[in-house]
Amino acid sequence: MTSSHVYRLSAYPKEITLRDGTRVVLKPMTPQDGDALQRFFLRITADERHYLKDDVTSPQVIQRWARELDYDRALPLLAWVEDAVIADGTLHRTRAGARRHVGEL
């Protein structure tokens, strides 16, 4: 993770405090985060997982994500409380044309 990436990685890790006082650390996903991300997805109900594009209960899917990280294509951010992932989001930015300033979360 260097500063030459499309996204400003030097802003991470970033610690925030939630309204209830919980301290959360936001940071880009790394190859070592696959198991923690898998545990996070397994805590989500099947009804909620239904809306996700990929089968996040599959260890192969999560390990592929961890193995094929490309911060210039997409920036997966994980929110951590201690050693547990509590949220996952990915920023996808259009890299070409008139929409290159547009992001999708």
Side-chain angles (χ1 to χ4, degrees), residues 11-55:
Y12 302 98
K14 182 176 198 138
E15 187 173 302
I16 61 171
T17 303
L18 303 181
R19 289 184 200 153
D20 69 358
T22 303
R23 296 173 75 143
V24 176
V25 176
L26 302 175
K27 65 179 187 167
M29 182 179 172
T30 67
Q32 297 76 26
D33 297 332
D35 290 340
L37 184 59
Q38 180 80 56
R39 289 190 296 274
F40 163 73
F41 281 124
L42 291 174
R43 291 191 308 268
I44 296 174
T45 67
D47 288 342
E48 292 173 346
R49 288 192 312 256
H50 172 77
Y51 296 99
L52 300 176
K53 183 175 89 171
D54 295 308
D55 178 6

Side-chain angles (χ1 to χ4, degrees), residues 79-99:
W80 296 80
V81 172
E82 298 178 11
D83 63 348
V85 173
I86 63 159
D88 164 60
T90 304
L91 179 63
H92 297 267
R93 190 176 113 177
T94 303
R95 294 184 286 167
R99 295 193 50 183

Side-chain angles (χ1 to χ4, degrees), residues 71-85:
Y71 298 139
D72 292 329
R73 185 183 57 78
L75 181 61
L77 291 174
L78 302 180
W80 296 80
V81 172
E82 298 178 11
D83 63 348
V85 173

